[in-house]
Amino acid sequence: MKIALELLLITGLFSCAQVPEKVNLSQELKLISDTEKEFSKLSGEKGMKTAFLQYMDAKGILLRPDHFPIIGKDAQKYLEEQPDSLYTLTWEPSSAEVSESGDLGYTYGIYTLTFHKDSSVQKGTYVSIWKKQPDGNWKFLLDTGNPGVGKE
């Protein structure tokens, strides 16, 4: 009887152990790429501030010129204070990658900053590091850009 009880307990413990799900990396790569494109589209339609606040992880980090890293709530506050009515910021990812575990990824590409006053355009490069959220969506954990690719 004691052996049967021990076997039942051991079987119960092993049946509770979670077997990690196999990650569909091609699906996650498509999701992160689509998320990046939706992020840019929202920025073009509703403004940079709205888009960044919607797509930034709660612990998100912004790397900006003349600033130390801006993290979490400070990054949210920084974005809320940014005037974004004088320009439109959009971007196009050149490439994306996702980790084997499917919970982190990155995108990089070219951004376009169009100033409303004179329609001048500035281009630069960017990189975003993305983190998969518990709900399955992706939010950026780190964003940075480098101006100076060219002006049109």
Side-chain angles (χ1 to χ4, degrees), residues 56-87:
M56 185 172 66
D57 183 88
K59 295 179 181 176
I61 302 164
L62 302 172
L63 301 180
R64 298 294 184 260
D66 302 318
H67 284 86
F68 288 109
I70 311 165
I71 303 168
K73 290 185 184 200
D74 291 333
Q76 291 173 341
K77 183 179 176 191
Y78 173 84
L79 288 168
E80 289 166 356
E81 293 172 352
Q82 296 307 300
D84 65 354
S85 62
L86 302 177
Y87 61 86

Side-chain angles (χ1 to χ4, degrees), residues 1-12:
M1 178 73 168
K2 184 177 178 184
I3 292 175
L5 187 56
E6 288 175 358
L7 286 175
L8 184 60
L9 181 61
I10 291 171
T11 304

Side-chain angles (χ1 to χ4, degrees), residues 111-127:
Y111 72 77
T112 303
L113 185 62
T114 306
F115 294 94
H116 299 165
K117 182 177 178 181
D118 60 5
S119 298
S120 64
V121 174
Q122 178 183 344
K123 292 188 178 261
T125 58
Y126 76 90
V127 65

